[in-house]
Amino acid sequence: MKKKSVRTWIGICIAIVAFLPVAYMAAWLFIYVPIRTDRAKQQILNADPEALRSACREMITNWGQIKNDANNNLFAEFIFPDRIAYQFGNYGKNMPKIIREMRPDWIDACSNRIEVRVCFLRIGFIGYVEGGEQYDVMDWSKYTMLTNGLWYYDH
């Protein structure tokens, strides 16, 4: 058996280092993402819709008291001056338990509705205040009403 040269070993090391990020991204895309999306769907669809709707309404009424990472974010204050915008995992103690346990990626709330995106900005739900107009959804065919004032989406 012939001894491998230094150049061969360097080439093998470079190939391994170049392959690792590709393998990681493939595992993330084909293993983690489907598991996370399925878990998010099950959390929303198996939750009590009445409890989820009341938690949404509680967050809408108390949105000024809930601390989050967007309070000091210039972008969030500039774009959403009247909203809270949670981003990736900073869950305040004042957040209702049913929503906090879903570990949402993004929460966007204003005076008449709250949108909770549970998984990769694709799966979530929208809750409206009692008696509020449910008008800001563009394509209703992609949304499913869980109960009056609470809509689920997956797109």
Side-chain angles (χ1 to χ4, degrees):
M1 188 163 133
K2 212 166 130 178
K3 234 178 163 184
K4 295 191 191 288
S5 70
V6 174
R7 287 185 182 172
T8 304
W9 284 112
I10 290 173
I12 290 171
C13 290
I14 289 173
I16 290 171
V17 169
F19 176 73
L20 287 176
V22 173
Y24 175 78
M25 289 303 294
W28 184 82
L29 183 63
F30 295 112
I31 296 172
Y32 177 72
V33 170
I35 290 171
R36 174 88 163 102
T37 54
D38 187 54
R39 183 179 145 255
K41 286 180 194 177
Q42 294 307 317
Q43 281 182 313
I44 296 170
L45 296 175
N46 291 338
D48 177 21
E50 299 297 325
L52 198 55
R53 182 181 64 185
S54 67
C56 289
R57 290 180 176 168
E58 177 186 338
M59 281 193 71
I60 292 169
T61 56
N62 298 329
W63 67 270
Q65 300 170 0
I66 297 174
K67 294 286 184 190
N68 63 81
D69 62 351
N71 283 340
N72 296 323
N73 185 340
L74 180 61
F75 174 75
E77 290 295 321
F78 180 71
I79 302 297
F80 309 117
D82 65 333
R83 301 178 180 188
I84 57 174
Y86 281 87
Q87 290 178 316
F88 300 106
N90 191 4
Y91 312 111
K93 299 265 189 250
N94 298 343
M95 184 184 296
K97 183 179 179 185
I98 192 168
I99 295 175
R100 187 174 59 240
E101 287 177 348
M102 290 183 183
R103 301 184 52 80
D105 292 339
W106 178 268
I107 298 176
D108 181 13
C110 59
S111 58
N112 66 336
R113 67 150 182 82
I114 185 167
E115 180 178 359
V116 180
R117 298 175 190 167
V118 179
C119 182
F120 304 116
L121 310 179
R122 293 185 44 217
I123 299 170
F125 54 91
I126 300 174
Y128 292 89
V129 295
E130 189 170 355
E133 281 190 58
Q134 301 174 28
Y135 62 85
D136 59 343
V137 175
M138 297 297 188
D139 185 3
W140 286 105
S141 65
K142 296 180 180 178
Y143 292 78
T144 304
M145 180 186 270
L146 298 176
T147 186
N148 187 25
L150 184 65
W151 293 81
Y152 163 78
Y153 63 86
D154 176 8
H155 49 264

